[in-house]
Amino acid sequence: MITLLFTIVLIFLAIVLLGIKVFLVKGGRFPSHHRHAARPKTKSE
């Protein structure tokens, strides 16, 4: 039972730390990794 509680707390902490900018910054959002949202590559890249 203690292991399950520890796991839930650890996962919650990881989600909070990964999303700290999203939660604290007004208009913050997770970056999109979809192909249509990426900027087009140029010849110099």
Side-chain angles (χ1 to χ4, degrees):
M1 185 67 182
I2 292 178
T3 305
L4 180 65
L5 183 63
F6 179 73
T7 303
I8 292 171
V9 169
L10 196 64
I11 290 172
F12 177 75
L13 184 63
I15 291 170
V16 169
L17 289 176
L18 285 171
I20 199 159
K21 179 181 175 188
V22 175
F23 299 133
L24 295 180
V25 176
K26 185 175 182 178
R29 61 178 63 183
F30 288 105
S32 176
H33 295 289
H34 292 283
R35 182 181 173 110
H36 71 274
R39 63 184 177 87
K41 292 192 171 197
T42 61
K43 284 187 174 184
S44 62
E45 291 183 330

